[in-house]
Amino acid sequence: MTGTDAPDRKTPRSVLFMCGMNAIRSPMAEALAKAALPAGTYVASAGVRHGERDPFVDVVMAEVGLSLGRHQPHTLDELEDDYFDLIVTLAPEAHHKALELTRSMAVDVVYWPTPDPTVAVGTREQIVDAYRAVRDHLATLINHRLVGPHHQKKA
């Protein structure tokens, strides 16, 4: 997709974030987008495969005052709504699946390559740092590509 990542792009009315298991990247993006996008914007997340909730996500989201609430990982098949203005994929398998599902639909699909923090090794702090990096990466992309400078909420 070309030209649609401009900072002054119109804010979508509905966004779906997709990753592998809806356990780390896409639920983080969902929570960050809900906090940053205008009220009334529908934001959801889903995975290609079933996953388990990751406690490190709760740790790093709490650091920025956000929570996933009672979020439980779910797949695309379990989504209540299946129409979105924009689908943002965060992992290669999610991107391929989204393109396959939307071949005959008028929906924008963009790929934001996002590292998988579960591959981090080392101390607990080094692992949490990898999750923080993913959170911050997603927050930056959401603010620059979806919210734009004219629509950002005041902190």
Side-chain angles (χ1 to χ4, degrees), residues 70-97:
R70 298 185 319 179
H71 170 85
Q72 288 300 316
H74 51 271
T75 64
L76 290 167
D77 297 334
E78 297 167 311
L79 281 177
E80 291 180 23
D81 293 308
D82 62 358
Y83 176 78
F84 295 90
D85 294 327
L86 175 66
I87 298 175
V88 177
T89 60
L90 307 170
E93 68 180 315
H95 190 66
H96 294 298
K97 184 71 168 178

Side-chain angles (χ1 to χ4, degrees), residues 11 17 27-44 61 64-68 135 139 142-143 146-147 151-155:
T11 302
F17 291 97
M28 270 192 202
E30 178 183 0
L32 290 162
K34 282 180 176 176
L37 292 171
T41 305
Y42 180 71
V43 181
M61 295 307 283
V64 295
L66 296 174
S67 168
L68 300 185
R135 176 201 64 207
I142 289 164
N143 284 323
L146 297 182
V147 177
H151 297 47
Q152 290 185 6
K153 290 182 179 178
K154 302 289 185 228

Side-chain angles (χ1 to χ4, degrees), residues 8-115:
D8 59 353
R9 179 176 186 219
K10 183 181 169 209
T11 302
R13 291 182 312 267
S14 57
V15 182
L16 173 66
F17 291 97
M18 283 177 59
C19 68
M21 294 187 284
N22 192 226
I24 300 168
R25 293 169 282 189
S26 59
M28 270 192 202
E30 178 183 0
L32 290 162
K34 282 180 176 176
L37 292 171
T41 305
Y42 180 71
V43 181
S45 66
V48 175
R49 296 173 279 114
H50 282 282
E52 297 294 323
R53 188 156 170 165
D54 187 312
F56 286 121
V57 172
D58 295 310
V59 170
V60 300
M61 295 307 283
E63 291 175 350
V64 295
L66 296 174
S67 168
L68 300 185
R70 298 185 319 179
H71 170 85
Q72 288 300 316
H74 51 271
T75 64
L76 290 167
D77 297 334
E78 297 167 311
L79 281 177
E80 291 180 23
D81 293 308
D82 62 358
Y83 176 78
F84 295 90
D85 294 327
L86 175 66
I87 298 175
V88 177
T89 60
L90 307 170
E93 68 180 315
H95 190 66
H96 294 298
K97 184 71 168 178
L99 291 176
E100 177 185 310
L101 291 172
T102 61
R103 269 193 302 249
S104 62
M105 299 167 71
V107 60
D108 290 333
V109 178
V110 296
Y111 178 45
W112 294 352
T114 304

